[in-house]
Amino acid sequence: EKSRVTQQNTMGELKERLVLIDAAQKNIEELSSQVVGLQDILSNKQARGAFGEIQLADLVRSIMPPNAYAFQATVAGNRRVDCLLTLPNPPGPIAIDAKFPLESYRILIDSKDENSKNLARKTLASDVLKHVKDISEKYIIPGETAESALMFLPSEAVYAELHANLADVVEKSWKSKVWIVSPTTLMATLNTIRAVLKDAQMREQAHVIQKEVSLMLTDVERLDGRVAKLETHFRQAEEDIKHIRVSADKLTKRGGKIEEIEVGPPERELSNSLGEKGQSIIKVHDRNDI
């Protein structure tokens, strides 16, 4: 009985594993079809170019602010570049063009012996340098763009092959002022450019603040001058008030002196007090004066 139960459990576990294997096999088949589909896409030059442009656009959109780039931008001579980073001077606008020399790289990967690999590397170097020359001549325009441009390789493997076995190609691209970048290195480059843009914006805002502070200081100086004038008027008014007080004190004193003067009685009152005898004396006095 126990052995029968054990066999049943073993059969159940085996069925479960077979189900898992079957599901894994279906996933492998789907992935294989997807890989074949990707190979078909990359075998077509136009589709491969679109693949590189889309990857470039996704990287730029994910890192750069919207006002810092333009896709399929037109430069001098009605030439269209995949992406133009609209940076202020210096350095100025930087062109990024996507290139994907996949055929020569596939020949290199599929080569079986060293001689065929060397020939394939020469072909890859020639293809890359041709792209470098095109970018240098088309997208580095004195007075319009920066003094350098970027060539975007949407493949880390191709980029690694250049730096590992074709260092002279990389050096020639540097001399042509064309910097070859992969998805990873482009991401780092864009992050650096974004930091430079932020610093430039901060410096621009600092200039604005400095200008406003200078204008404010001018207003403060003007206000200080007006306050000084007002202070002068207050001092003059204070002097005038002091003079008015002196004049008022003098008038008060003169009024007091006038009040202290004893004024005699009028002539009628004097004659009444003298009586008739006194009046006759006054009259005689008056005649004598005549």
Side-chain angles (χ1 to χ4, degrees), residues 106-119:
R106 278 182 173 173
I107 294 172
L108 174 61
I109 296 301
D110 295 337
S111 298
K112 303 300 182 181
D113 56 80
E114 196 63 29
N115 289 332
S116 58
K117 283 186 178 181
N118 290 333
L119 289 174

Side-chain angles (χ1 to χ4, degrees), residues 232-285:
T232 302
H233 290 315
F234 276 134
R235 288 176 181 172
Q236 186 61 47
E238 187 177 2
E239 290 294 325
D240 292 341
I241 291 172
K242 287 180 180 179
H243 293 158
I244 291 171
R245 285 180 176 175
V246 171
S247 298
D249 291 341
K250 288 182 179 180
L251 289 173
T252 302
K253 290 178 180 179
R254 291 187 185 279
K257 289 180 179 179
I258 292 173
E259 288 179 352
E260 291 175 357
I261 297 174
E262 293 182 359
V263 181
E267 184 179 348
R268 183 177 298 172
E269 292 179 358
L270 182 59
S271 60
N272 292 334
S273 62
L274 291 175
E276 293 180 358
K277 186 176 180 180
Q279 289 179 3
S280 60
I281 294 172
I282 291 171
K283 289 179 180 179
V284 171
H285 216 285

Side-chain angles (χ1 to χ4, degrees), residues 125 127-137 140 147-151 153 159 162-163 166-181:
D127 291 345
V128 172
L129 288 176
K130 181 181 181 301
H131 292 319
V132 168
K133 182 180 178 182
D134 290 342
I135 292 173
S136 176
E137 292 176 352
I140 299 179
E147 297 179 352
S148 59
L150 300 178
M151 185 174 85
L153 289 177
Y159 180 82
L162 290 178
H163 282 267
L166 295 170
D168 58 327
V169 173
V170 177
E171 186 175 351
K172 288 178 181 178
S173 70
W174 290 349
K175 291 180 179 179
S176 299
K177 299 295 182 66
V178 176
W179 315 114
I180 302 174
V181 293

